[in-house]
C-alpha cells in the first residue's frame, strides 16, 4: 500500500504530526505472520563479489506443505545487512517481476520483511521456483584501510553462510564468486571447496528459520571503488522541441586510502603502478543525446572521448587527475534530447517519461540522488508516478526570461542508488496549448509598445513655449 501526497503549489503542507500518523497507519496495515505451510525445498545462491557491489542471487524452490493455496511468501533481511541493501527484486519462472510490499512480523523488529505477491498461487502439495536478487553497497570493506601507490587492494566480505529466511530450508548451496585466485582467508565449514576464483559451500541440509552463521572472505579486489557522493540532476522541459539535462556530480574513491606520497612519474611510466586507482570510466547517455559538454570549475575537460552507438552515446570520461582512495572530483555533465522521444500528449494532457538517473559507470553506487524537473510556465494538475520509493522535496518555482508566474519545479531524492534503479518515472500534467504563444506574444507586444512609444515621443512636442518665427516682409 502506498500513499502519494502531492500538494499544489502555494498551498499549505500537511503538518509533520499528521504525516507521521499516516505513515504509522499504513505500516500498521502491513503485518504478516510466518506461514508454517511454506518450506524452501532447495536454495541455490550466488554471491558475486567481483566488483565494488555485492550481488546476491538466490534460486528458491517454494513448497506448499499445507492444505490451501499460497498466494504470497516473505523475504527476510538480517539486521546486519539492512543498511547496505540497495535493491531487491524477485522474478517468477516466466521471468516476470513480482510485486514487493514492505511488511512486518510481530516479534521480529530487528528484521526487514518483504511480502512477495505471486502471480499464480501455489496449490497444496505443489512447488514453484522464483529468483530473488539482492544488491548491497559498501559491503566490501578495504582491509587494510590504507595502501601505498604500488600495493594491491585487499577487501573483506562479511555475510551469512546460510540463506536468511523465515522458513525451514531443506537443502541449500552457496557459490561465492571472486575476481581473483588470491584469497588471503575464508570461512571453512564443511563441505566446502575452492575452484579457481569461486568458493563453493554446501550442500547444507535442514537449516532452521532465521539461522545465521558468519561467512568471511578476505581477498584481492582492484575493481574501481567509485562512489557518487551526490548527484543533482536537472531536467528542463520545453514544448518547443527540446529537453535539456544537466548533472552536477561529485565522486569519491572509497577504496583503501593512499598511504604515503604520490609519484606521477612512476604512475605514467609503469602501468602496474596504482592498480587500485581509477584513470577513467565510461558513462552512457541516451542515443539521441546532442550538444554534450563535460566541465568543472576550471572549464571544459578535454581528456574525454565520445562514441555514438546505435542505442546509446558512450562517453569515456577521464578526470584531470587519477583517483586514489580518499580522493574526490566533481564536474558538470550536460546534453540535450528531442522532446518527442520522451513527451507525449493528447490535447492539453501531457505525459513525460524519463529516467530517474543515467548510467554513470559500471557497478555504480550513489549515496544521494536529487532530481529536479522544470516544467513550462502555466502547467497545472501535476501527478507523478515513481517505479520505486523516493522522497518528495517540496515543489518550488523557477524564473527565467519572459516568465511572469514562474515555472513549477518538481523535485525528489533517493539514497543508496544502483544500476537497477535506472528506470523511468512518469509525470503527467495539463498545459493549455494557447500558453505556448505567451512568450512570442510578449516579445511582439514589447516591440510594438517600444515602437509606439518612439512614435509618440517623436510626434508630440514637450517644450514649454513655442519658438518665435520671423515675420515676412
Amino acid at each position: 500500500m502506498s500513499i502519494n501526497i502531492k500538494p499544489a503549489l502555494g498551498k499549505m503542507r500537511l503538518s509533520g504530526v499528521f504525516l507521521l500518523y499516516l505513515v504509522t497507519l499504513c505500516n500498521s496495515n502491513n503485518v504478516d505472520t510466518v506461514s508454517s505451510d511454506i518450506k524452501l525445498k532447495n536454495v541455490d545462491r550466488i554471491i558475486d563479489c567481483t566488483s565494488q557491489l555485492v550481488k546476491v542471487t538466490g534460486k528458491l524452490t517454494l513448497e506448499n506443505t499445507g492444505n490451501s493455496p499460497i498466494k504470497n511468501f516473505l523475504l527476510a533481511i538480517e539486521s546486519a545487512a539492512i543498511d547496505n541493501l540497495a535493491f531487491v527484486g524477485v522474478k517468477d519462472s516466466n521471468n516476470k517481476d513480482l510485486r514487493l510490499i514492505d511488511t512486518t512480523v510481530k516479534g521480529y523488529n530487528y528484521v526487514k520483511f518483504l511480502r512477495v505477491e505471486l502471480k499464480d498461487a501455489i496449490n497444496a502439495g505443489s512447488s514453484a521456483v522464483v529468483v530473488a536478487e539482492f544488491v548491497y553497497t559498501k559491503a566490501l570493506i578495504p582491509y587494510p584501510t590504507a595502501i601505498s601507490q604500488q600495493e594491491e587492494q585487499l577487501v573483506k566480505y562479511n555475510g551469512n553462510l546460510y540463506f536468511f529466511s523465515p522458513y525451514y530450508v531443506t537443502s541449500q548451496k552457496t557459490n561465492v564468486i571472486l575476481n581473483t585466485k588470491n584469497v588471503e582467508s575464508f570461512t571453512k565449514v564443511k563441505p566446502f571447496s575452492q575452484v579457481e576464483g569461486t568458493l563453493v559451500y554446501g550442500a547444507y541440509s535442514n537449516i532452521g528459520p532465521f539461522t545465521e552463521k558468519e561467512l568471511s572472505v578476505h581477498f584481492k579486489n582492484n575493481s574501481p571503488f567509485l562512489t557518487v557522493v551526490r548527484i543533482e540532476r536537472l531536467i528542463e522541459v520545453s514544448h518547443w522541441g527540446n529537453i535539456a539535462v544537466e548533472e552536477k556530480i561529485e565522486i569519491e574513491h572509497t577504496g583503501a586510502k593512499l598511504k604515503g606520497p604520490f609519484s606521477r612519474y612512476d604512475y605514467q611510466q609503469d602501468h602496474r603502478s596504482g592498480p587500485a586507482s581509477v584513470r577513467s570510466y565510461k558513462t552512457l547517455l541516451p542515443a539521441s543525446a546532442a550538444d554534450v559538454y563535460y566541465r568543472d570549475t576550471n572549464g571544459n575537460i578535454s581528456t574525454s572521448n565520445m562514441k555514438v552507438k546505435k542505442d546509446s552515446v558512450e562517453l569515456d570520461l577521464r578526470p584531470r587527475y587519477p583517483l586514489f582512495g580518499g580522493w574526490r572530483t566533481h564536474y558538470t555533465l550536460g546534453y540535450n534530447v528531442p522532446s518527442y522521444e520522451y513527451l507525449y500528449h493528447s490535447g492539453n494532457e501531457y505525459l513525460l517519461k524519463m529516467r530517474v538517473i543515467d548510467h554513470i559507470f559500471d557497478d555504480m553506487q550513489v549515496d544521494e540522488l536529487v532530481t529536479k524537473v522544470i516544467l513550462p510556465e502555466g502547467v497545472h494538475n501535476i501527478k507523478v508516478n515513481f517505479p520505486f520509493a523516493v522522497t518528495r522535496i517540496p515543489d518550488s518555482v523557477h524564473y527565467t526570461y519572459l516568465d511572469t508566474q514562474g515555472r513549477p519545479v518538481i523535485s525528489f531524492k533517493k539514497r543508496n542508488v544502483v544500476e537497477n534503479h535506472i528506470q523511468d518515472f512518469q509525470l503527467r500534467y495539463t498545459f493549455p496549448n494557447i500558453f505556448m504563444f505567451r512568450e512570442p506574444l510578449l516579445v511582439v507586444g514589447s516591440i510594438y509598445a517600444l515602437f509606439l512609444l518612439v512614435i509618440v515621443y517623436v510626434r508630440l512636442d514637450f517644450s514649454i513655449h513655442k519658438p518665435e518665427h520671423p515675420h515676412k516682409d
Side-chain angles (χ1 to χ4, degrees):
M1 178 179 179
S2 62
I3 293 181
N4 184 16
I5 300 176
K6 164 86 176 49
L9 286 173
K11 291 185 178 180
M12 183 179 298
R13 281 2 182 219
L14 292 174
S15 68
V17 175
F18 184 56
L19 285 175
L20 180 61
Y21 168 76
L22 287 176
V23 172
T24 305
L25 181 63
C26 293
N27 288 337
S28 63
N29 293 332
N30 289 331
V31 179
D32 283 81
T33 57
V34 179
S35 173
S36 58
D37 294 338
I38 301 177
K39 288 186 179 180
L40 294 180
K41 186 176 181 180
N42 186 64
V43 175
D44 285 328
R45 187 172 56 146
I46 297 176
I47 303 177
D48 187 347
C49 298
T50 57
S51 66
Q52 67 171 339
L53 302 176
V54 175
K55 303 174 184 178
V56 180
T57 304
K59 184 178 180 182
L60 316 178
T61 303
L62 300 167
E63 184 179 15
N64 184 357
T65 60
N67 298 320
S68 58
I70 293 173
K71 297 181 180 180
N72 57 66
F73 70 96
L74 298 178
L75 285 179
I77 294 92
E78 55 267 59
S79 58
I82 292 176
D83 292 339
N84 301 113
L85 181 64
F87 175 81
V88 182
V90 181
K91 296 179 181 292
D92 61 14
S93 57
N94 296 321
N95 203 32
K96 298 292 184 62
D97 290 320
L98 300 180
R99 187 185 177 196
L100 303 179
I101 302 174
D102 285 330
T103 186
T104 57
V105 174
K106 188 176 181 180
Y108 293 93
N109 297 330
Y110 59 92
V111 178
K112 177 181 176 63
F113 288 94
L114 295 168
R115 185 199 309 143
V116 183
E117 301 288 344
L118 296 169
K119 294 185 181 297
D120 299 316
I122 305 175
N123 295 322
S126 300
S127 60
V129 177
V130 298
V131 177
E133 179 184 7
F134 307 84
V135 180
Y136 298 92
T137 59
K138 300 182 180 179
L140 298 180
I141 307 301
Y143 189 80
T145 57
I147 58 176
S148 65
Q149 182 175 331
Q150 305 296 335
E151 287 183 287
E152 307 275 0
Q153 179 174 261
L154 299 177
V155 299
K156 260 191 175 183
Y157 169 69
N158 291 315
N160 192 352
L161 181 66
Y162 305 120
F163 179 73
F164 189 75
S165 173
Y167 307 113
Y168 187 88
V169 182
T170 304
S171 177
Q172 64 175 285
K173 183 178 180 181
T174 299
N175 290 352
V176 182
I177 302 177
L178 312 175
N179 56 1
T180 179
K181 300 177 185 178
N182 298 338
V183 181
E184 300 292 316
S185 63
F186 61 93
T187 298
K188 299 178 180 179
V189 176
K190 295 182 179 180
F192 71 90
S193 62
Q194 181 179 1
V195 182
E196 298 294 330
T198 302
L199 302 177
V200 181
Y201 290 95
Y204 300 121
S205 302
N206 304 324
I207 307 300
F210 303 107
T211 301
E212 295 186 69
K213 186 175 182 62
E214 184 182 26
L215 168 63
S216 179
V217 185
H218 187 203
F219 61 101
K220 183 182 76 172
N221 189 339
N222 286 322
S223 300
F225 272 56
L226 286 180
T227 298
V228 178
V229 179
R230 176 183 168 87
I231 173 173
E232 184 172 319
R233 181 172 166 88
L234 183 65
I235 302 172
E236 186 169 359
V237 180
S238 171
H239 283 195
W240 292 96
N242 184 72
I243 297 177
V245 181
E246 183 176 88
E247 298 176 339
K248 295 180 180 178
I249 302 175
E250 184 175 356
I251 289 183
E252 180 181 4
H253 191 304
T254 50
K257 297 184 182 299
L258 178 64
K259 178 176 64 176
F262 165 63
S263 172
R264 181 171 288 275
Y265 176 80
D266 292 341
Y267 191 79
Q268 292 177 342
Q269 295 299 318
D270 187 0
H271 69 278
R272 294 172 297 179
S273 179
S277 66
V278 177
R279 301 171 187 262
S280 65
Y281 49 88
K282 286 180 169 49
T283 291
L284 300 181
L285 303 181
S288 57
D291 306 322
V292 181
Y293 57 89
Y294 170 48
R295 62 171 181 256
D296 59 10
T297 54
N298 295 330
N300 290 330
I301 305 175
S302 59
T303 54
S304 61
N305 295 309
M306 186 174 75
K307 184 185 297 182
V308 179
K309 296 185 174 182
K310 290 183 179 180
D311 57 348
S312 65
V313 173
E314 183 181 280
L315 296 179
D316 185 10
L317 301 184
R318 186 178 297 271
R320 293 185 184 274
Y321 49 85
L323 297 178
F324 285 84
W327 292 19
R328 287 193 178 195
T329 185
H330 61 276
Y331 61 89
T332 300
L333 178 66
Y335 59 90
N336 294 319
V337 291
S339 58
Y340 68 84
E341 292 191 1
Y342 303 93
L343 191 61
Y344 311 89
H345 76 98
S346 176
N348 294 334
E349 303 299 321
Y350 286 80
L351 169 63
L352 176 69
K353 292 179 64 175
M354 290 198 72
R355 290 177 179 176
V356 174
I357 189 174
D358 279 328
H359 176 281
I360 303 175
F361 49 80
D362 292 339
D363 299 312
M364 68 182 190
Q365 59 182 25
V366 180
D367 285 347
E368 183 180 38
L369 162 70
V370 178
T371 299
K372 299 181 179 180
V373 184
I374 302 177
L375 299 173
E377 189 178 29
V379 163
H380 61 280
N381 193 24
I382 303 171
K383 298 178 182 178
V384 194
N385 292 322
F386 300 102
F388 41 76
V390 301
T391 302
R392 283 292 302 273
I393 301 174
D395 298 341
S396 58
V397 178
H398 175 77
Y399 288 91
T400 182
Y401 57 89
L402 298 178
D403 286 343
T404 56
Q405 299 176 351
R407 307 184 181 198
V409 181
I410 310 302
S411 305
F412 59 91
K413 65 180 179 180
K414 182 171 179 58
R415 299 192 62 84
N416 211 8
V417 177
V418 293
E419 288 185 40
N420 305 77
H421 293 117
I422 302 179
Q423 301 180 40
D424 290 340
F425 69 90
Q426 297 184 0
L427 194 154
R428 301 176 185 273
Y429 59 87
T430 302
F431 179 76
N433 292 327
I434 192 66
F435 282 10
M436 290 188 63
F437 301 100
R438 175 187 293 182
E439 292 182 359
L441 289 176
L442 283 174
V443 174
V444 172
S446 300
I447 296 175
Y448 179 80
L450 177 62
F451 278 114
L452 186 62
L453 288 175
V454 171
I455 292 173
V456 171
Y457 179 79
V458 171
R459 295 289 182 179
L460 295 182
D461 186 3
F462 296 97
S463 59
I464 297 177
H465 61 86
K466 293 183 178 181
E468 295 181 1
H469 296 285
H471 296 284
K472 293 182 179 179
D473 293 336

